[in-house]
Amino acid sequence: MSRILIIEDEQDLAGLVDYNLRAAGFETETANTGAGGLAKARAHPPDLVLLDLMLPDVAGSEVLRMLKADTELRKASVIIVSAKGQESDRVQGLELGADDYVVKPFSVRELLLRVKAVLRRADAEDGPSAVLASGDISLDTTRHQVRVKGEEVLLTALEFRLLRTLLERSDRVQTREVLLSDVWGIQAEIHTRTVDTHIKRLREKLGPAGDIIETVRGVGYKLSPP
């Protein structure tokens, strides 16, 4: 049974989401502040966090940063649930490491589908242990670790999935649309500049080793083994 933490200050909405998640067979816990949510996450690490951005004490974006900075919590999937629905808001949330972004108001059925989709994706990533390597880069799928020449490089959840996808499809061109679909899942409506931004940041974090990620002009990207 997957454990879901709901961090939402609108108590009626939190109660509605909590009720429907429990009815769907999930174990749930709620918090109406960012600090309270972080405390509950540390006491009982969740599999997934539903996170509002506009909390009364700590901004949801800061809560997300703290979750991803915590070695015990960074593997928890995060779905942002917010009334802030501009593309720039969605992109920022995903770049901080969220797995999905749901805009209020939403249908409970849609939210349940997205929760199940994110959890399925997380289960697939936690499948049989494997180390993917190319050049100076190695990626451990079980430990969620990336190393360059033996030194660990910290990536966001999306950067990790992006690098894993490129390593698994080494020497094959991946269009921006394919990467949006396969890495971002149901967030494929986000503008393709998002892919370019993530590739740029991934290369920067990998240093010279990141040069094996090549731009195929007018098409997309591919990882070319040295």
Side-chain angles (χ1 to χ4, degrees), residues 61-108:
S61 56
E62 185 60 26
V63 173
L64 178 54
R65 285 191 188 93
M66 295 174 77
L67 287 170
K68 293 305 176 183
D70 190 311
T71 56
E72 298 297 320
L73 299 175
R74 67 172 57 157
K75 284 184 66 176
S77 301
V78 177
I79 298 178
I80 291 174
V81 182
S82 176
K84 299 173 72 173
Q86 296 296 316
E87 179 179 305
S88 58
D89 297 317
R90 300 200 305 274
V91 169
Q92 181 186 33
L94 293 168
E95 287 178 348
L96 286 172
D99 296 270
D100 201 354
Y101 196 112
V102 176
V103 179
K104 299 175 182 176
F106 54 85
S107 76
V108 173

Side-chain angles (χ1 to χ4, degrees), residues 8 12 26 32 45 48 62 84 98 111-113 115 119-120 124 126 134 143 153 155 167 184 200 202 205-207 224:
E8 169 63 65
D12 289 346
F26 295 104
N32 57 17
L48 184 144
E62 185 60 26
K84 299 173 72 173
L111 181 63
L112 286 172
L113 288 172
V115 165
L119 288 171
R120 276 198 306 271
D126 287 336
S134 187
R143 296 181 179 178
V153 177
L155 302 181
L167 284 167
W184 276 257
K200 180 175 181 291
L202 182 57
K205 288 186 177 183
L206 296 173
S224 297

Side-chain angles (χ1 to χ4, degrees), residues 129-147:
S129 177
V131 175
L132 305 172
S134 187
D136 294 325
I137 302 168
S138 66
L139 180 149
D140 189 315
T141 61
T142 300
R143 296 181 179 178
H144 280 242
Q145 281 185 342
V146 172
R147 294 183 180 275

